[in-house]
């Protein structure tokens, strides 16, 4: 039942976090409002650091003075977060980011929406997971992300999705427009009943030795292609790809490319 609002970094200090949980600490919170904080509203970092967060709102995190970051929640350096009932909205860089070996997230019954890019036009990821982190997400809605709805990268990184909806991904990032779900550079996604719709670019994209396994998944109203596989693995079992439309610049309108 707490509010943490308007934190700022002093000078060039790269902090300004609303809630920092570090160095083996343990945190339990519920019904918390975090808004208008700087860099990261919630940071969970360090081996042995654990946090539980329920029924809370994380919104409108500001970028640092150099225009970078502005994340809603960041789990790094071996930290662990178990969360449910979250509303994560209007943040920058990433709505929820998990990175580094040993870092983990279990997320249930939550919404990540309207993630915006840096001032430079880069990033804007709904859920970003990389560098050997592990995420399990179920009953999650990810919508209105700027560049990528779900971004998974690097060897040893595993993301498990169940009953997750990703929609309305827009914006131009690294030469590709609005990808709903992407696995790259040996990252792995295991998904069941994933629903990806209204992407400004491809709905699913598996690239550069990644593995994307999708059971009973639905991909609809993507631009250029419903799904792309390039030098990687894409395993689709059940489900459907439908209503892909051409890109203005590149044509297409392909189901599976």
């Amino acid at each position: 039942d707490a509010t943490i609002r308007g934190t700022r970094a002093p000078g060039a200090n790269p902090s300004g976090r609303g809630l920092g949980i570090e160095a083996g600490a343990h945190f339990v919170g519920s019904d918390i409002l975090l808004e208008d904080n700087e860099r990261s509203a919630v940071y969970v970092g360090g081996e042995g650091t654990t946090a539980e967060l329920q029924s809370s709102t994380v919104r409108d995190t500001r970028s640092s003075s150099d225009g970078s970051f502005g994340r809603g929640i960041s789990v790094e350096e071996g930290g662990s977060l178990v969360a449910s009932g979250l509303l994560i909205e209007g943040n920058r860089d990433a709505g929820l980011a998990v990175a580094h070996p040993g870092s983990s997230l279990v997320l249930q019954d939550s919404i990540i929406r309207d993630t915006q890019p840096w001032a430079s036009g880069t990033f804007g990821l709904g859920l970003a997971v990389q560098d050997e982190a592990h995420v399990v997400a179920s009953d999650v809605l990810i919508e209105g992300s700027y560049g990528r709805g779900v971004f998974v990268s690097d060897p040893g990184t595993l993301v498990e999705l169940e009953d997750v909806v990703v929609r309305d991904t827009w914006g131009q990032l690294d030469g590709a427009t609005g990808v709903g779900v992407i696995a790259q550079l040996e990252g792995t996604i295991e998904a069941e009943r994933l629903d990806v719709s209204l992407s400004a670019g491809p709905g699913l994209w598996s690239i550069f030795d990644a593995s994307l396994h999708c059971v009973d998944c639905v991909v609809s109203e993507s631009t250029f292609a419903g799904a792309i596989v390039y030098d990687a693995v894409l395993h689709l079992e059940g489900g459907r790809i439908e209503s892909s439309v051409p890109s203005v610049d590149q044509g297409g309108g392909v189901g599976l490319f």
Side-chain angles (χ1 to χ4, degrees), residues 29-63:
S30 62
D31 299 289
I32 298 176
L33 170 62
L34 294 113
E35 66 177 357
D36 190 35
N37 300 295
E38 187 174 313
R39 190 177 174 91
S40 294
V42 179
Y43 176 86
V44 182
E47 186 176 350
T49 302
T50 58
E52 300 173 37
L53 187 61
Q54 297 178 338
S55 306
S56 296
T57 298
V58 179
R59 67 185 181 207
D60 299 334
T61 309
R62 291 177 175 239
S63 296

Side-chain angles (χ1 to χ4, degrees), residues 53-144:
L53 187 61
Q54 297 178 338
S55 306
S56 296
T57 298
V58 179
R59 67 185 181 207
D60 299 334
T61 309
R62 291 177 175 239
S63 296
S64 300
S65 57
D66 63 1
S68 64
F69 291 96
R71 292 177 179 174
I73 299 176
S74 188
V75 182
E76 301 181 19
E77 304 292 347
S80 177
L81 172 64
V82 176
S84 63
L86 303 187
L87 173 59
I88 303 170
E89 64 176 353
N91 302 291
R92 296 186 176 274
D93 182 72
L96 207 165
V98 188
H100 308 134
S103 298
S104 67
L105 165 71
V106 176
L107 180 67
Q108 295 179 313
D109 190 25
S110 296
I111 297 172
I112 303 171
R113 67 185 180 202
D114 297 334
T115 307
Q116 303 298 310
W118 292 6
S120 63
T122 54
F123 298 98
L125 316 172
L127 172 63
V129 189
Q130 55 191 342
D131 194 17
E132 298 185 49
H134 181 204
V135 168
V136 177
S138 59
D139 297 301
V140 173
L141 169 63
I142 302 171
E143 64 178 352

